[in-house]
Amino acid sequence: MSTIAGVDGLEVTGPIEDRFDEVLTPRALELVALLHRELNGRRLERLAARQERVRALADGASLGFLEETRSIREDDSWQVAPPAPGLVDRRVEMTGPTDRKMTINALNSGARCWLADQEDANSPLWTNVVNGPLNLMDSIDGTLEFTSPEGKEYRVRDDVELPTIIVRPRGWHLPEKHITVDGEQTSGSLVDFALYLASCGQKQIDRGQGPYFYLPKMESHLEARLWNDAFNLAQDHLGIPRGTIRATVLIETYPAAFEMEEILYELRDHSAGLNAGRWDYMFSVVKTFRTRGEDFLLPDRNSVTMTVPFMRAYTELLVRTCHKRGAHAIGGMAAFIPSKDPAVNEQAFAKVRADKEREANDGFDGSWVAHPGMVELCTEVFTAVLGDRPNQIDKKREDVQVAAEQLLDVRSTPGEITEAGLRSNISVGIQYIESWLRGSGAVGINNLMEDAATAEISRSQVWQWLHNGVRLSNGETVTRELVERITDEEMEAIAEARGDAFSSGRWDDARALFLEMAVSDEYSDFLTLPAYERMP
């Protein structure tokens, strides 16, 4: 344990590897210390407020649009800042972690923007936390290259327009245990933000763009206010003009869906719009109303499409809200990974096309893909609607009127709860956790790119079905014994499929953690918190 770079009261306890000093600079660590001392108390208050809301909902309260912020919603005069350079045309956005290979593939993808993910598609091993901004710095400097263990070389192409980099830091709930200030663990959010901003912010400004961010898992406009204060503190500390930072907020929690306008308002000088997630939103439905029984019971996760009533209400309200305030509305993820099987590809591409056509026709300004092989399809679909226009913010969707009851109408979701769905949740959840514990947060499973949100909805559904005594479509009741039996069977199938490689994995840890989350009496808010404790 040592004091790094003479920053008083700050300790870096993670190992210092080659070139880490280029990211863990005095300038960056001074910013981490400043943000921690000014904001960490408020961060912890906001996390406590989440727990208070859960208790209130368990006692019979509900979610709704806030009366105390009605004046913000009814004031038609305010707008967010105009789109920043590089964020005007966002018709297709690539997503993925910031390891060297994935960074190069994302930059070569032909997408307009790249969500450089330090959150759900990234496992927060200490090396990943520091190497992420280091790889981004190299990409901006034009020095990024990678050679795989097999000898394959990866380099950034010089014949494509590189996407705008948008970094997604960790959510407010996650700590960073390898950096402490005054003896306290720091915030993963603020560490990711500060390390990227200090190392790459001015470089991005110098190349005509800026430091841009995606903000995950917020549950209220007061959490957005905390981010806005962090932006102002950091910009002032580094001598960057206020408003240079821009941020797109993921509306991926149930409570945030009722505070979209207020979130835009809090971030209005730094806002770049909102994004409509899917798995995390469904995860939040279960988490928020976990004590409320059948009214919030979801069927098999793969049957809950964006066209079911409560999801449709949420996405249409998001487009209307964004465009009313001059902000971009960005659609959800196409997680499909192109296969070597033409039949599989044909079916999957048709589903992705239909999903993107719905988004483009609803008024979204762009959408996400998880694999470079899907960039062309998404671009084609949005260009068919946008033409030469960079976005369709002028499509106001004033025809949309969404009441709180529509956002809460989970009961009308069609679909069954099946044994196949239960097996899939258990198998995919365990496979993902095992990979995450080893340091890889973006995992291809069954031709889909899975991230932490997949594991969260998977274990949450198993918990919800078990604690509500759900009867599967085959007539069998979900019990602890059934979950444990299927877990044993799925583990055997995974071991057979992996062969010799199985013995070198962290399968016992992954199985134990998944079951701990899925069958415990008390529901844990985040799978990633106990998983992080199991990391070095």
Side-chain angles (χ1 to χ4, degrees), residues 93-153:
E93 297 190 343
M94 181 74 196
T95 73
T98 51
D99 61 90
R100 293 184 87 78
K101 177 184 170 183
M102 296 293 276
T103 295
I104 292 169
N105 286 343
L107 294 173
N108 289 339
S109 68
R112 300 299 174 99
C113 299
W114 171 42
L115 184 154
D117 201 1
Q118 293 287 99
E119 196 231 7
D120 268 7
N122 180 64
S123 173
L125 277 181
W126 171 242
T127 52
N128 292 345
V129 169
V130 186
N131 276 322
L134 183 61
N135 294 337
L136 294 174
M137 186 165 62
D138 285 352
S139 76
I140 297 167
D141 290 342
T143 60
L144 186 68
E145 53 187 43
F146 174 73
T147 301
S148 73
E150 299 77 32
K152 184 177 179 181
E153 294 184 349

Side-chain angles (χ1 to χ4, degrees), residues 271-343:
S271 180
L274 305 176
N275 170 279
R278 181 183 175 191
W279 294 135
D280 264 315
Y281 192 73
M282 289 166 56
F283 156 49
S284 183
V285 168
V286 176
K287 179 166 68 171
T288 305
F289 285 105
R290 56 188 182 247
T291 62
R292 300 290 280 274
E294 291 187 359
D295 281 350
F296 294 93
L297 203 59
L298 285 168
D300 289 1
R301 66 184 177 96
N302 286 323
S303 71
V304 184
T305 67
M306 299 300 276
T307 60
V308 305
F310 82 99
M311 296 294 274
R312 185 90 179 121
Y314 143 71
T315 56
E316 290 211 302
L317 179 61
L318 188 144
V319 173
R320 180 192 164 109
T321 300
C322 286
H323 290 181
K324 176 183 178 182
R325 302 303 181 181
H328 280 83
I330 306 298
M333 174 73 78
F336 181 67
I337 302 171
S339 162
K340 293 179 180 178
D341 185 336

Side-chain angles (χ1 to χ4, degrees), residues 417-430:
I417 300 174
T418 69
E419 182 185 319
L422 179 60
R423 285 185 179 276
S424 174
N425 280 340
I426 292 170
S427 176
V428 170
I430 291 172

Side-chain angles (χ1 to χ4, degrees), residues 118-350:
Q118 293 287 99
E119 196 231 7
D120 268 7
N122 180 64
S123 173
L125 277 181
W126 171 242
T127 52
N128 292 345
V129 169
V130 186
N131 276 322
L134 183 61
N135 294 337
L136 294 174
M137 186 165 62
D138 285 352
S139 76
I140 297 167
D141 290 342
T143 60
L144 186 68
E145 53 187 43
F146 174 73
T147 301
S148 73
E150 299 77 32
K152 184 177 179 181
E153 294 184 349
Y154 294 80
R155 283 184 171 79
V156 180
R157 292 164 53 184
D158 57 11
D159 61 341
V160 295
E161 185 175 345
L162 299 182
T164 300
I165 294 171
I166 312 175
V167 172
R168 180 162 69 169
R170 283 168 283 180
W172 281 131
H173 60 289
L174 284 166
E176 177 47 63
K177 62 187 176 185
H178 300 98
I179 300 179
T180 62
V181 174
D182 305 328
E184 297 175 333
Q185 287 188 353
T186 49
S187 157
S189 300
L190 296 177
V191 166
D192 292 343
F193 165 66
L195 295 186
Y196 174 70
L197 184 66
S199 60
C200 299
Q202 190 59 52
K203 291 177 182 288
Q204 292 285 40
I205 295 166
D206 293 344
R207 73 203 295 233
Q209 295 188 353
Y212 304 144
F213 297 90
Y214 257 108
L215 305 179
K217 295 185 175 55
M218 280 197 279
E219 295 194 12
S220 76
H221 69 285
L222 296 178
E223 295 181 19
R225 183 179 298 171
L226 189 60
W227 266 119
N228 199 70
D229 290 345
F231 293 165
N232 284 330
L233 279 166
Q235 287 167 137
D236 293 350
H237 182 73
L238 297 177
I240 297 170
R242 289 192 175 192
T244 304
I245 292 172
R246 295 299 174 86
T248 307
V249 174
L250 290 112
I251 301 299
E252 56 185 352
T253 71
Y254 219 5
F258 295 85
E259 299 185 35
M260 290 192 226
E261 282 196 83
E262 293 91 333
I263 287 169
L264 285 176
Y265 181 80
E266 293 293 342
L267 287 160
R268 60 195 179 281
D269 295 333
H270 298 108
S271 180
L274 305 176
N275 170 279
R278 181 183 175 191
W279 294 135
D280 264 315
Y281 192 73
M282 289 166 56
F283 156 49
S284 183
V285 168
V286 176
K287 179 166 68 171
T288 305
F289 285 105
R290 56 188 182 247
T291 62
R292 300 290 280 274
E294 291 187 359
D295 281 350
F296 294 93
L297 203 59
L298 285 168
D300 289 1
R301 66 184 177 96
N302 286 323
S303 71
V304 184
T305 67
M306 299 300 276
T307 60
V308 305
F310 82 99
M311 296 294 274
R312 185 90 179 121
Y314 143 71
T315 56
E316 290 211 302
L317 179 61
L318 188 144
V319 173
R320 180 192 164 109
T321 300
C322 286
H323 290 181
K324 176 183 178 182
R325 302 303 181 181
H328 280 83
I330 306 298
M333 174 73 78
F336 181 67
I337 302 171
S339 162
K340 293 179 180 178
D341 185 336
V344 170
N345 283 348
E346 184 178 0
Q347 184 177 15
F349 271 65

